[in-house]
Coordinates of all heavy atoms in Angstrom, one line a residue:
I11 N 109.5 96.1 102.7 CA 108.0 96.2 102.8 C 107.7 97.2 103.8 O 108.2 97.2 105.0 CB 107.4 94.8 103.2 CG1 107.7 93.8 102.1 CG2 105.9 95.0 103.4 CD1 107.3 92.4 102.4
T12 N 106.8 98.1 103.5 CA 106.3 99.1 104.4 C 104.9 98.8 104.7 O 104.1 98.7 103.8 CB 106.5 100.5 103.9 OG1 107.8 100.8 103.6 CG2 106.0 101.6 104.9
V13 N 104.5 98.7 106.0 CA 103.1 98.5 106.4 C 102.7 99.9 107.0 O 103.2 100.4 107.9 CB 103.0 97.5 107.5 CG1 101.6 97.4 108.0 CG2 103.5 96.1 107.0
D14 N 101.7 100.5 106.3 CA 101.2 101.8 106.7 C 99.9 101.5 107.5 O 99.0 100.9 106.9 CB 100.9 102.7 105.5 CG 102.2 103.2 104.9 OD1 103.1 103.7 105.5 OD2 102.3 103.0 103.6
G15 N 99.8 102.0 108.7 CA 98.6 101.9 109.5 C 97.9 103.3 109.7 O 98.6 104.2 110.0
Y16 N 96.6 103.3 109.4 CA 95.9 104.6 109.4 C 94.8 104.5 110.5 O 94.3 103.4 110.8 CB 95.2 104.9 108.1 CG 96.3 105.2 107.0 CD1 96.9 104.2 106.3 CD2 96.7 106.5 106.8 CE1 97.8 104.5 105.3 CE2 97.6 106.8 105.8 CZ 98.2 105.8 105.1 OH 99.1 106.1 104.2
S17 N 94.5 105.6 111.1 CA 93.6 105.7 112.2 C 92.2 105.9 111.8 O 91.2 105.7 112.6 CB 94.0 106.8 113.2 OG 93.9 108.1 112.5
G18 N 91.9 106.2 110.5 CA 90.6 106.6 110.1 C 90.3 108.0 110.3 O 91.1 108.8 110.7
A19 N 89.1 108.4 110.0 CA 88.8 109.9 110.0 C 88.0 110.3 111.2 O 87.4 111.4 111.2 CB 87.9 110.2 108.7
A20 N 88.1 109.5 112.3 CA 87.4 109.9 113.5 C 88.0 111.1 114.2 O 89.2 111.4 113.9 CB 87.3 108.7 114.5
G21 N 87.3 111.8 115.1 CA 87.8 113.0 115.8 C 88.7 112.7 116.9 O 88.4 112.8 118.1
R22 N 90.0 112.4 116.6 CA 91.0 112.1 117.6 C 92.1 113.2 117.5 O 92.2 113.8 116.4 CB 91.7 110.8 117.4 CG 90.8 109.6 117.5 CD 91.6 108.3 117.2 NE 90.7 107.1 117.2 CZ 90.0 106.7 116.2 NH1 90.0 107.3 115.1 NH2 89.2 105.6 116.3
S23 N 92.8 113.4 118.5 CA 94.0 114.3 118.4 C 95.0 113.6 117.5 O 95.0 112.4 117.2 CB 94.6 114.6 119.8 OG 95.3 113.4 120.2
D24 N 95.9 114.4 116.9 CA 97.0 113.9 116.1 C 97.8 112.8 116.8 O 98.1 111.8 116.2 CB 97.9 115.0 115.5 CG 97.3 115.8 114.4 OD1 96.2 115.4 113.9 OD2 97.8 116.8 114.0
A25 N 98.1 113.1 118.0 CA 98.9 112.1 118.8 C 98.2 110.8 119.0 O 98.8 109.7 118.8 CB 99.3 112.7 120.2
E26 N 96.9 110.9 119.3 CA 96.1 109.6 119.4 C 95.9 108.9 118.1 O 96.0 107.7 118.0 CB 94.7 110.0 120.0 CG 94.7 110.5 121.4 CD 93.3 111.0 121.8 OE1 92.6 111.6 120.9 OE2 93.0 110.8 123.0
S27 N 95.8 109.7 117.0 CA 95.6 109.1 115.7 C 96.9 108.4 115.2 O 96.8 107.3 114.7 CB 95.2 110.1 114.7 OG 93.9 110.6 114.9
I28 N 98.0 109.0 115.4 CA 99.3 108.4 115.1 C 99.5 107.1 115.9 O 100.0 106.1 115.3 CB 100.5 109.4 115.2 CG1 100.3 110.5 114.1 CG2 101.8 108.7 115.1 CD1 101.3 111.6 114.3
S29 N 99.2 107.2 117.2 CA 99.4 106.0 118.0 C 98.5 104.9 117.6 O 99.0 103.7 117.5 CB 99.1 106.4 119.5 OG 99.2 105.3 120.3
L30 N 97.3 105.1 117.2 CA 96.4 104.1 116.8 C 96.8 103.5 115.4 O 96.9 102.3 115.3 CB 94.9 104.7 116.6 CG 93.9 103.7 116.1 CD1 93.8 102.4 116.9 CD2 92.6 104.4 116.0
G31 N 97.2 104.4 114.5 CA 97.7 103.9 113.2 C 99.0 103.1 113.4 O 99.2 102.1 112.7
Q32 N 99.9 103.5 114.3 CA 101.1 102.7 114.6 C 100.8 101.3 115.2 O 101.3 100.3 114.8 CB 102.0 103.5 115.5 CG 103.4 102.8 115.8 CD 104.2 102.8 114.5 OE1 104.4 103.8 113.8 NE2 104.7 101.6 114.1
R33 N 99.8 101.3 116.1 CA 99.4 100.0 116.7 C 98.9 99.0 115.6 O 99.2 97.8 115.6 CB 98.4 100.1 117.8 CG 99.0 100.7 119.1 CD 98.1 100.6 120.3 NE 96.7 101.1 120.0 CZ 96.4 102.4 120.2 NH1 97.2 103.3 120.7 NH2 95.1 102.7 120.0
R34 N 98.1 99.6 114.7 CA 97.5 98.8 113.6 C 98.6 98.2 112.7 O 98.6 97.1 112.3 CB 96.5 99.6 112.8 CG 95.2 99.8 113.6 CD 94.3 100.7 112.9 NE 93.0 100.8 113.6 CZ 92.0 101.6 113.3 NH1 92.1 102.4 112.2 NH2 90.9 101.7 114.0
A35 N 99.5 99.1 112.3 CA 100.7 98.7 111.5 C 101.5 97.6 112.2 O 102.0 96.6 111.6 CB 101.5 99.9 111.1
D36 N 101.8 97.9 113.5 CA 102.6 96.9 114.2 C 102.0 95.5 114.3 O 102.7 94.5 114.2 CB 102.8 97.4 115.7 CG 103.8 98.6 115.7 OD1 104.6 98.8 114.8 OD2 103.8 99.3 116.8
R37 N 100.7 95.5 114.4 CA 100.0 94.2 114.5 C 100.2 93.4 113.2 O 100.4 92.2 113.2 CB 98.5 94.3 114.8 CG 98.3 94.7 116.3 CD 96.8 94.8 116.6 NE 96.7 95.3 117.9 CZ 95.7 96.0 118.3 NH1 94.8 96.5 117.5 NH2 95.6 96.4 119.6
I38 N 100.1 94.1 112.1 CA 100.3 93.4 110.8 C 101.7 93.0 110.6 O 102.0 91.8 110.2 CB 99.9 94.3 109.6 CG1 98.4 94.6 109.7 CG2 100.2 93.7 108.3 CD1 97.4 93.4 109.6
R39 N 102.6 93.8 111.0 CA 104.1 93.5 111.0 C 104.4 92.3 111.8 O 105.1 91.4 111.4 CB 104.9 94.7 111.4 CG 106.4 94.5 111.4 CD 107.1 95.7 111.9 NE 108.6 95.6 111.8 CZ 109.3 95.0 112.8 NH1 108.7 94.5 113.9 NH2 110.6 94.8 112.6
D40 N 103.9 92.3 113.0 CA 104.1 91.2 113.9 C 103.6 89.9 113.4 O 104.2 88.8 113.5 CB 103.5 91.4 115.3 CG 104.2 92.6 116.1 OD1 105.3 93.0 115.7 OD2 103.6 93.1 117.1
Y41 N 102.4 89.9 112.8 CA 101.8 88.7 112.2 C 102.7 88.2 111.0 O 103.0 87.0 110.9 CB 100.4 89.1 111.6 CG 99.8 87.9 110.9 CD1 99.0 87.0 111.7 CD2 99.9 87.7 109.6 CE1 98.4 85.9 111.1 CE2 99.3 86.6 109.0 CZ 98.6 85.7 109.7 OH 98.0 84.6 109.1
M42 N 103.2 89.1 110.2 CA 104.0 88.7 109.1 C 105.3 88.1 109.5 O 105.8 87.1 109.0 CB 104.3 89.9 108.2 CG 103.1 90.5 107.5 SD 103.3 92.0 106.6 CE 104.2 91.5 105.2
I43 N 105.9 88.6 110.6 CA 107.1 88.1 111.2 C 106.9 86.7 111.8 O 107.6 85.7 111.5 CB 107.7 89.0 112.2 CG1 108.2 90.3 111.5 CG2 108.8 88.3 113.0 CD1 108.6 91.4 112.5
R44 N 105.8 86.6 112.5 CA 105.4 85.3 113.1 C 105.3 84.2 112.1 O 105.6 83.0 112.3 CB 104.1 85.5 113.9 CG 103.7 84.2 114.7 CD 102.5 84.5 115.6 NE 101.5 85.3 115.0 CZ 101.0 86.4 115.5 NH1 101.4 86.8 116.7 NH2 100.1 87.1 114.9
Y45 N 104.8 84.5 110.9 CA 104.6 83.5 109.8 C 105.7 83.5 108.8 O 105.5 83.0 107.7 CB 103.2 83.7 109.2 CG 102.2 83.2 110.2 CD1 101.6 84.0 111.0 CD2 101.9 81.8 110.3 CE1 100.6 83.6 112.0 CE2 101.0 81.4 111.2 CZ 100.3 82.2 112.0 OH 99.4 81.8 113.0
G46 N 106.9 84.0 109.2 CA 108.1 83.7 108.3 C 108.7 84.9 107.6 O 109.8 84.7 107.0
M47 N 108.1 86.1 107.6 CA 108.7 87.2 106.9 C 109.9 87.7 107.7 O 109.8 87.8 108.9 CB 107.7 88.3 106.7 CG 108.2 89.5 106.0 SD 108.7 89.2 104.2 CE 107.1 88.9 103.5
P48 N 111.1 87.9 107.0 CA 112.2 88.4 107.8 C 112.0 89.7 108.4 O 111.5 90.7 107.8 CB 113.3 88.5 106.7 CG 112.9 87.6 105.6 CD 111.4 87.6 105.6
E49 N 112.2 89.8 109.7 CA 111.9 91.1 110.5 C 112.6 92.3 109.9 O 112.0 93.4 109.9 CB 112.4 90.9 111.9 CG 112.1 92.0 112.8 CD 112.4 91.7 114.3 OE1 112.7 90.5 114.6 OE2 112.4 92.6 115.1
D50 N 113.8 92.1 109.4 CA 114.5 93.3 108.9 C 114.0 93.8 107.5 O 114.5 94.8 107.0 CB 116.0 93.0 108.8 CG 116.4 91.9 107.8 OD1 115.5 91.1 107.4 OD2 117.5 91.8 107.4
R51 N 113.0 93.2 107.0 CA 112.5 93.6 105.7 C 111.1 94.3 105.8 O 110.6 94.7 104.8 CB 112.2 92.3 104.8 CG 113.5 91.6 104.5 CD 113.8 91.0 103.2 NE 113.2 91.8 102.1 CZ 112.5 91.2 101.1 NH1 112.4 89.9 101.1 NH2 112.0 91.9 100.1
I52 N 110.7 94.5 107.1 CA 109.3 95.1 107.3 C 109.5 96.3 108.2 O 110.1 96.3 109.2 CB 108.4 94.1 107.9 CG1 108.3 92.8 107.2 CG2 107.0 94.7 108.0 CD1 107.6 91.7 107.9
V53 N 108.9 97.4 107.7 CA 108.8 98.7 108.5 C 107.4 99.0 108.7 O 106.6 99.0 107.8 CB 109.6 99.8 107.8 CG1 109.4 101.1 108.6 CG2 111.0 99.5 107.6
A54 N 107.0 99.3 110.0 CA 105.6 99.7 110.3 C 105.6 101.1 110.6 O 106.3 101.6 111.4 CB 105.1 98.8 111.4
I55 N 104.6 101.9 110.0 CA 104.5 103.3 110.2 C 103.1 103.7 110.4 O 102.2 103.3 109.7 CB 105.0 104.1 108.9 CG1 106.5 103.7 108.6 CG2 104.9 105.6 109.1 CD1 107.0 104.3 107.3
G56 N 102.8 104.4 111.5 CA 101.5 104.9 111.8 C 101.2 106.3 111.3 O 102.1 107.1 111.2
H57 N 100.0 106.5 110.8 CA 99.6 107.8 110.2 C 98.2 108.2 110.8 O 97.5 107.4 111.3 CB 99.4 107.6 108.7 CG 100.6 107.1 108.0 ND1 101.6 108.0 107.6 CD2 101.0 105.9 107.6 CE1 102.5 107.3 106.9 NE2 102.2 106.0 106.9
T58 N 97.9 109.5 110.6 CA 96.6 110.0 111.0 C 95.7 109.9 109.8 O 96.2 109.7 108.6 CB 96.6 111.5 111.4 OG1 97.1 112.2 110.3 CG2 97.6 111.6 112.6
G59 N 94.4 109.9 110.0 CA 93.5 110.0 108.8 C 93.3 108.7 108.1 O 93.5 107.6 108.6
V60 N 93.1 108.9 106.8 CA 92.9 107.7 105.9 C 94.0 107.6 104.9 O 94.7 108.6 104.7 CB 91.5 107.8 105.2 CG1 90.3 107.7 106.2 CG2 91.4 109.1 104.4
A61 N 94.1 106.5 104.2 CA 95.2 106.3 103.3 C 95.1 107.3 102.1 O 94.0 107.6 101.6 CB 95.1 104.8 102.7
R62 N 96.2 107.7 101.7 CA 96.3 108.6 100.5 C 95.8 107.8 99.3 O 95.9 106.6 99.2 CB 97.7 109.2 100.3 CG 98.7 108.2 100.0 CD 100.1 108.9 99.9 NE 101.1 108.0 99.4 CZ 101.8 107.2 100.1 NH1 101.7 107.2 101.4 NH2 102.7 106.4 99.6
E63 N 95.3 108.6 98.3 CA 94.7 107.9 97.1 C 95.6 107.7 96.0 O 95.3 106.9 95.1 CB 93.5 108.8 96.7 CG 92.4 108.8 97.7 CD 91.2 109.5 97.2 OE1 91.1 109.7 96.0 OE2 90.4 109.9 98.0
A64 N 96.8 108.3 95.9 CA 97.7 108.1 94.8 C 99.2 108.1 95.3 O 99.5 108.8 96.2 CB 97.5 109.2 93.8
P65 N 100.0 107.3 94.7 CA 101.4 107.3 95.1 C 102.1 108.6 94.7 O 101.7 109.3 93.8 CB 102.0 106.1 94.3 CG 101.1 105.9 93.1 CD 99.7 106.4 93.6
R66 N 103.2 108.9 95.4 CA 104.0 110.1 95.1 C 104.9 109.7 93.9 O 105.0 108.5 93.5 CB 104.9 110.4 96.2 CG 104.1 110.9 97.4 CD 105.1 111.2 98.6 NE 104.4 110.6 99.8 CZ 105.0 110.1 100.8 NH1 106.3 110.1 100.9 NH2 104.3 109.6 101.8
D67 N 105.5 110.7 93.2 CA 106.3 110.4 92.1 C 107.3 109.4 92.3 O 108.1 109.4 93.3 CB 107.0 111.7 91.6 CG 106.1 112.8 91.0 OD1 105.0 112.4 90.6 OD2 106.4 113.9 91.0
G68 N 107.4 108.4 91.4 CA 108.4 107.3 91.5 C 108.1 106.3 92.6 O 108.8 105.3 92.8
E69 N 107.0 106.4 93.3 CA 106.6 105.4 94.3 C 105.5 104.5 93.8 O 104.6 104.9 93.1 CB 106.1 106.2 95.5 CG 105.8 105.4 96.7 CD 105.3 106.2 97.9 OE1 104.3 107.0 97.7 OE2 105.8 106.0 99.0
Q70 N 105.6 103.3 94.3 CA 104.6 102.3 94.0 C 104.1 101.7 95.3 O 104.9 101.4 96.2 CB 105.1 101.2 93.1 CG 105.5 101.6 91.7 CD 106.1 100.5 90.9 OE1 106.3 99.4 91.4 NE2 106.3 100.7 89.6
F71 N 102.8 101.5 95.4 CA 102.3 100.8 96.6 C 101.0 100.1 96.2 O 100.4 100.4 95.2 CB 102.0 101.7 97.8 CG 100.9 102.7 97.6 CD1 99.6 102.4 98.0 CD2 101.1 103.9 97.0 CE1 98.6 103.3 97.9 CE2 100.0 104.8 96.8 CZ 98.8 104.5 97.3
V72 N 100.6 99.1 97.0 CA 99.4 98.4 96.8 C 98.5 98.7 98.0 O 98.9 98.5 99.2 CB 99.6 96.9 96.7 CG1 98.3 96.1 96.7 CG2 100.5 96.6 95.6
D73 N 97.4 99.3 97.8 CA 96.4 99.6 98.9 C 95.4 98.4 99.0 O 94.7 98.2 98.0 CB 95.7 100.9 98.6 CG 94.9 101.4 99.7 OD1 95.0 100.9 100.9 OD2 94.1 102.3 99.5
L74 N 95.5 97.7 100.1 CA 94.6 96.5 100.2 C 94.1 96.3 101.6 O 94.7 96.8 102.5 CB 95.3 95.3 99.7 CG 96.6 94.9 100.4 CD1 96.4 93.7 101.2 CD2 97.7 94.7 99.3
T75 N 93.0 95.6 101.7 CA 92.5 95.2 102.9 C 92.8 93.7 103.1 O 92.6 92.9 102.2 CB 91.0 95.4 103.0 OG1 90.7 96.8 102.8 CG2 90.4 95.0 104.3
I76 N 93.3 93.3 104.2 CA 93.7 91.9 104.5 C 92.8 91.3 105.5 O 92.6 91.9 106.6 CB 95.1 91.8 105.0 CG1 96.1 92.4 103.9 CG2 95.5 90.4 105.3 CD1 97.5 92.5 104.4
Q77 N 92.2 90.2 105.2 CA 91.4 89.4 106.1 C 92.3 88.2 106.5 O 92.6 87.4 105.7 CB 90.1 89.0 105.6 CG 89.2 88.2 106.6 CD 87.9 87.9 106.0 OE1 87.6 88.2 104.8 NE2 87.1 87.2 106.8
L78 N 92.6 88.2 107.8 CA 93.5 87.1 108.3 C 92.5 86.0 108.9 O 91.7 86.2 109.7 CB 94.4 87.6 109.3 CG 95.3 88.7 108.9 CD1 96.1 89.2 110.0 CD2 96.2 88.3 107.7
C79 N 92.7 84.8 108.4 CA 91.9 83.6 108.8 C 92.8 82.5 109.3 O 93.9 82.3 108.8 CB 91.1 83.1 107.7 SG 90.0 84.3 106.9
N80 N 92.3 81.8 110.3 CA 93.1 80.7 110.8 C 92.6 79.5 110.0 O 91.5 79.0 110.2 CB 92.8 80.5 112.3 CG 93.6 79.4 112.9 OD1 94.3 78.6 112.2 ND2 93.6 79.2 114.2
A81 N 93.4 79.0 109.1 CA 93.0 77.9 108.3 C 93.3 76.5 108.9 O 93.0 75.5 108.3 CB 93.8 78.0 106.9
R82 N 93.9 76.5 110.0 CA 94.2 75.2 110.7 C 93.0 74.6 111.3 O 92.1 75.3 111.9 CB 95.3 75.4 111.8 CG 96.6 75.9 111.2 CD 97.6 76.1 112.3 NE 98.6 77.0 111.9 CZ 99.5 77.6 112.6 NH1 99.5 77.3 113.9 NH2 100.4 78.3 112.1
P83 N 92.8 73.3 111.2 CA 91.6 72.7 111.8 C 91.6 72.7 113.3 O 92.6 72.9 114.0 CB 91.7 71.2 111.3 CG 93.1 71.0 110.8 CD 93.7 72.4 110.6

């Protein structure tokens, strides 16, 4: 599983954008590991800008927004 984190289209330097995208991806990865996903099956990658609109040849991905909720009472 690859978690891609994007910084959005704000006016940041490339280094700042990649760092922000990486932190966002890392947070999702850490959450998935905490709730049982095997650590060795998840890669987190930070990117600048916004998510690309179409997969590359031979590639499949799901572009989604995740809302994490604490369902415990």
Side-chain angles (χ1 to χ4, degrees):
I11 297 172
T12 301
V13 177
D14 292 306
Y16 292 87
S17 63
R22 298 177 184 85
S23 72
D24 282 348
E26 292 170 326
S27 292
I28 291 171
S29 178
L30 176 58
Q32 186 66 51
R33 287 193 310 270
R34 289 176 173 173
D36 287 342
R37 286 183 183 145
I38 298 300
R39 180 182 182 274
D40 292 345
Y41 178 88
M42 293 170 76
I43 291 167
R44 186 174 38 235
Y45 286 92
M47 180 65 67
E49 183 173 349
D50 62 343
R51 301 220 31 224
I52 308 169
V53 176
I55 302 172
H57 302 276
T58 64
V60 295
R62 63 183 188 271
E63 295 187 16
R66 294 177 224 151
D67 289 342
E69 182 181 51
Q70 295 180 351
F71 71 93
V72 176
D73 189 14
L74 58 109
T75 301
I76 300 171
Q77 181 177 0
L78 304 174
C79 302
N80 184 354
R82 297 180 199 168

